[in-house]
Each structure stands twice: as structure tokens, then as C-alpha cells.
Amino acid sequence: MPQSSDGSRLRIRPVVLEEGHAHLRLRRLTGLEVQENQARTLLNAVDAYGLTLEREAGHVLPEAVKAYRWLSERYEPVIAAIPDRYRDRLDDAQLIYEFIEHRFARSKAAGRQVENPEAMVTFVDEVLERLPRERTLIDHDGGNDPSDVLLGAPDLGAPVPGVHEALTPTEGKA
């Protein structure tokens, strides 16, 4: 990125990207399959961590190295820190996305950078504790739509007590 010799000015060149760019880039770098909005947030985290790594190293690092380090030093430790009893609340991609959003909000409210261990405590108490378990659709009877089994939908051909009688014309009424 071109900048002035004293670092006081930076030239930015806007670029239009194709739809799904973030999703494809994150998959290429990390192997993670996520939605586009999640991918943008996770790529921002990868890029921010990469800048920290480059500052520490004193030189530019390849994108693949920064992505690998983010996965192994940031992503995987956060996922591993989620208590087992909350692992069924969200998939890993959504967990890390929600954690990043939570940590950002906590940092903004505190007026300082909140580190992962501190953010994890409040993430568990304030976010995961309130989320319902995710459910999987399973077709138990082999014939109905799985959502009927999960939602307990009645057979549409069967009478519904109290309702079916009210809707059925009685003798002498048309």
C-alpha cells in the first residue's frame, strides 16, 4: 500500500469484488466453510492478527502463514475453550463469529482491547447460556417430512379435536 515517506498519508484504491469473494478467500486460506457475512468477519480477524504477526516479525508474511497462525493460535483455542455443555448451541463457524462480535462489543464498552480469556467468561455467561440447543431434523417414520416429526405437525388428513367438528357442516345446515 503506497504511503508517504513520513507515514502520515496513505493512498487507498477501492476495488469492486465479486459476490462471494470473502467466502471463497476464507475457504482457500483456512478450509473453513462459512456464510459470506461470517467470512467477512473472520477474514477481518485473520487480517488483523496477520498485521500483529508482521509487526512482531518486522517484515511482511505470506497470507497463507498468517491464516495458518490465526487458525492455530486464535480460532482453535477459542473453539477448544467452549465448555462441552455448550457445544450443541452453534456450529463452530457461528461460535467463532459470535465470539468475535462479542469480544469487539466488550472491547468497545471497556475502551480497551479485551483479550480472549476475559471475553470467553462473559461470552459463556451472556451469550451461550441464553442460546437454545440446535436441533437436527430426523425422519423417524420414513414417510413424513422431517419437519413434521420435529415440529409435531399433525397429519393434515386427520381430524383435529374441537376444530374439525366446528368446521364440518352439521345436518340441516349448508
Side-chain angles (χ1 to χ4, degrees), residues 22-39:
H23 161 79
L24 295 172
R25 180 175 170 233
L26 187 70
R27 182 174 63 189
R28 179 178 51 82
L29 288 171
T30 65
L32 296 175
E33 280 290 338
V34 300
Q35 300 296 319
E36 185 68 12
N37 285 340
Q38 292 171 330

Side-chain angles (χ1 to χ4, degrees), residues 132-152:
R133 293 179 143 162
E134 282 196 337
R135 295 194 174 126
T136 304
L137 298 177
I138 301 172
D139 185 357
H140 288 289
D141 65 359
N144 290 337
D145 180 331
S147 62
D148 292 345
V149 174
L150 176 68
L151 301 174

Side-chain angles (χ1 to χ4, degrees), residues 159-168:
V160 177
V163 173
H164 193 297
E165 293 83 4
L167 298 176
T168 305

